Amino acid sequence: MSPPSPAMAGLLQALVGASEKAGTIARLCRAEEPLFQLLVAEKSGTDKNRRFLQDFKTLADVLIQEVIKHDLGKEFPELQGHIHGEESNEFKNRQGDTVVVRVCDTPGDTAALLLSVLEPEREAAELLAAAVHRDVTLGDAELASVALSIPPQDLAIWIDPIDSTNEYIGGREDVAPIDGITPAGLCSALVLIGAYDRQTGCPVLGIINEPFYCRDPLTHRWQGRYHWGVAYGDTQLSSLSPPPPRPTPCVVLSRAEGGPVRAALGPLCGDRLCFAAGAGYKMLCVILGLADAYVLSEGSTFAWDACAPHAILRALGGGAVALAGALQARRVGDTGPPPELVYNRPAEGAVGAKRWANQGGLVAYVHPQHLEAVLAALATVPGL
Ligand code: 2IP
Ligand code: CA
């Protein structure tokens, strides 16, 4: 392998840094009173507040996405135009004017721009702008020592600024984990940044940031943590080790998952069918070995939900397959590896966000034997 250029070597670190800044902004919105009041305004129930909250919710998401885009695009000009996210940066304020949310040259300019959406909440706009312009320092020796040779011009990025937005707004801190999996609440709100190969659509680098991992026992402030993975050519690296397989798999599902899928998977898992919020969080459960597979039978996740966790799963020897395609291949006797999700191909005939839906559902796994067992069980479900 030729020695990596500094720019190439720094991409993983830059993605982690961007996720840390995003996590800080996500925490700030819950920690600083002027911002928190906006987040929870919905609960007061008046029409005016409801509208305002809707705006603020979207603004927090849009802003985080724009900060990541800005910081990565500045450091890696080759990525400009190839950084995509869940949100559009066009925003309608209460006067009906369209505001394009972006990071300006100075904190003062960014605050002025944010104020055109948040008026009259000047303090909130200034707090957000200060966080947007603050530099992040990573004290992570292991990460700093990773040298990669992945040309940024071959890659594109998917960002989910806050996955599980509803749990983020709801903010429940009192949800007890069941066998390590927390079924709902703030801890399922994640920042997801994934890089994929522009040509093949394969996920290559992934960062999952958990801004609300735990409370510091002394300061009572939220502490985050992050995980990363690289799967590029022969290189498989991760901040985590592959979890050991369980003899009887545990499968995690959305609470929205239908009866037939639950019934088909029940016998495979014994009593280990689990439920959790957040597509990213369920994939994280598999990555951490809290579950052996995440099964979703609907096209209700998107490229930005799956790209980052998928890259980490691949780094650990697993993956995320397109469920409908995998079952179809089985039915026609195809014995090759089931089709993995890809991130560079919009769904034909779809419009808006649906263009990037993971149509036909997915199965995320680390150990191939669990994927095989899940597909065998689901092959009997009519209509899948
Ligand atoms: C959502 C979020 C939801 C999930 C949905 C995602 O992303 O992760 O929780 O549904 O698939 O698209 P479920 O919890 O039923 O798995 P976002 O919160 O970013 O819209
Ligand atoms: Ca999401």
Side-chain angles (χ1 to χ4, degrees), residues 61 86-87 160-168 183 188 190 192 253-257 276-282 294 296 298-302 304-305:
D61 273 15
E86 175 167 16
E87 309 291 341
D160 192 344
I162 298 178
D163 186 44
S164 242
T165 319
N166 286 341
E167 301 303 315
Y168 176 63
S188 41
L190 307 176
L192 308 172
L253 301 172
S254 163
R255 259 180 297 273
E257 193 57 71
Y281 180 74
K282 285 188 274 291
Y294 162 36
L296 177 70
E298 304 276 332
S300 54
T301 66
F302 297 87
W304 48 82
D305 297 320

Side-chain angles (χ1 to χ4, degrees), residues 158 196-197 199-203 302-303 306-307 310 320-322 339-346 355-358:
W158 276 116
Y196 63 91
D197 185 310
Q199 294 302 318
T200 64
C202 277
F302 297 87
C307 185
H310 189 174
V321 304
E340 292 266 324
L341 295 176
V342 288
Y343 298 91
N344 61 346
R345 251 186 267 150
R355 293 175 72 226
W356 297 104
N358 299 314

Side-chain angles (χ1 to χ4, degrees), residues 370-384:
H370 291 143
L371 172 65
E372 173 53 33
V374 161
L375 292 177
L378 292 175
T380 61
V381 179
L384 274 193

Side-chain angles (χ1 to χ4, degrees), residues 261-293:
V261 168
R262 295 182 186 209
L265 293 172
L268 176 70
C269 310
D271 59 353
R272 297 188 62 86
L273 216 45
C274 303
F275 297 89
Y281 180 74
K282 285 188 274 291
M283 291 179 86
L284 176 62
C285 287
V286 179
I287 287 166
L288 296 175
L290 300 169
D292 298 288

